[in-house]
Amino acid sequence: MTTYKRLPVTFVRGEGVWLWDSQGTRYLDAVSGIAVCGLGHAHPGVQQALCEQAGTLIHTSNLYGIAHQEALADDLTRLSGMDRVFFCNSGAEANEAAIKIARLYGHHKGIENPVVVVTENSFHGRTLATLSATGNRKVQAGFEPLVQGFVRIPYGDTETLQTVARTTHSVVAVLVEPLQGEGGIKIPPTDYLDQVRRICDHHGWLMMLDEIQTGMGRTGRMFAFQHSNSVPDVMTLAKGLGNGVPIGACVARGEAATTLAPGNHGSTFGGNPLACRAALAVIDAIERQGLVAHAGSLGERLLNGFRQALADTPGVVEIRGRGLMLGIELERPCTELVGRALQAGLLINVTADCVVRLLPPLVTDQAQADSLVAQLSELIKAFLEQ
Ligand SMILES: Cc1ncc(COP(=O)(O)O)c(C=O)c1O
């Protein structure tokens, strides 16, 4: 179907940060399949795990025990300090699970019409519930009636959250991104998550973080909430978890971890041996290769590099980021830059019309980062000068 406006290129092979198209031209990938391929392309650890698992057992279903699923849940709970995991196949599904947990949690407390607080400018997925939670009219238009049970407030604004607490008594949870990705790499005030945590605790609400884009080391911590002093009740993951093998996870702790009971939720493919084996290999590589700390320091290098290269460039509004999630906001729409960069052998993305978004693989080295800064800064300057 015509669901995507595709660029005129087809990649046939990858290695690390590089991709090759069908003509043999090489590209530096600063998109990573939209924050998915943190280990880059054709990572040997993932390749070996997948090949071995494909030759052993791909799928059995959740009717039976799945050892790799249990091992992956152990890894995710160890890394997050949380208790239990539900596995699915995408980010939207992970958020669906979170929303269902919130509603059931509310019903258990006797709240008939539970409300989840969400934010403006957010992105949570394309299923009916997650597009209803999403704070972008473009994503919702034409798909009404939307799913009810969401109240929307500005991102980063805890005063309005307090007001909602006073005026809406059926709130059961808050669902936010630790920093907004699709919304244009928006970084909230430093104490935002701690304030949200405090308000949630005060009212008995679940603090639910959508870490689908920020998770798995991307921001310089394994999970972006680890930049704060707070741990959420629910966290959703997908994208970087499987390095391209579809897998999603809804991680929970405390009461939220035991809310769903047999029969409440499920997925045929969710957490199958193949996907879990891939995710185990991803976590192993991230830890062994020290990629979380590397993402942090390389992110600083990129941020400083761009700030220097584009200093005093008229038309650059702001350069911001955390780890390897960076945004260069320009004063006018710049989608055109994506095609120009492609011609120059560079894969970038533009989101929220005016923000060049960079999500390079966690395995990017310093020389590759420096060449990204040099090449892209020239493209941006030329674009802004015309
Ligand atoms: C923060 C966030 N949540 C949810 C999603 C949806 O994930 P998926 O496309 O895997 O359903 C995305 C995808 O871009 C995302 O960035």
Side-chain angles (χ1 to χ4, degrees), residues 102-115 169-172 203-205:
R103 285 190 170 190
L104 198 57
Y105 170 82
H107 282 283
H108 287 167
K109 292 209 297 186
I111 298 171
E112 244 176 70
N113 290 300
V115 164
H169 296 292
S170 46
V171 173
V172 292
H203 297 283
W205 303 344

Side-chain angles (χ1 to χ4, degrees), residues 220 289-300 324 361-366:
Q289 294 179 230
L291 293 177
V292 177
H294 178 69
S297 58
L298 199 73
E300 283 296 310
L324 293 177
L362 275 51
V363 295
T364 306
D365 69 23
Q366 290 191 351

Side-chain angles (χ1 to χ4, degrees), residues 15-17 32 36-47 216 218 240-244 278-287 289 291 360-364:
E15 194 182 320
V17 302
S32 307
V36 168
C37 305
L39 302 181
H41 303 283
H43 187 277
V46 178
Q47 183 200 348
M216 307 318 294
R218 177 139 302 272
L241 182 56
N243 210 59
L280 284 167
V282 168
I283 292 172
D284 181 65
I286 290 176
E287 293 197 294
Q289 294 179 230
L291 293 177
L362 275 51
V363 295
T364 306

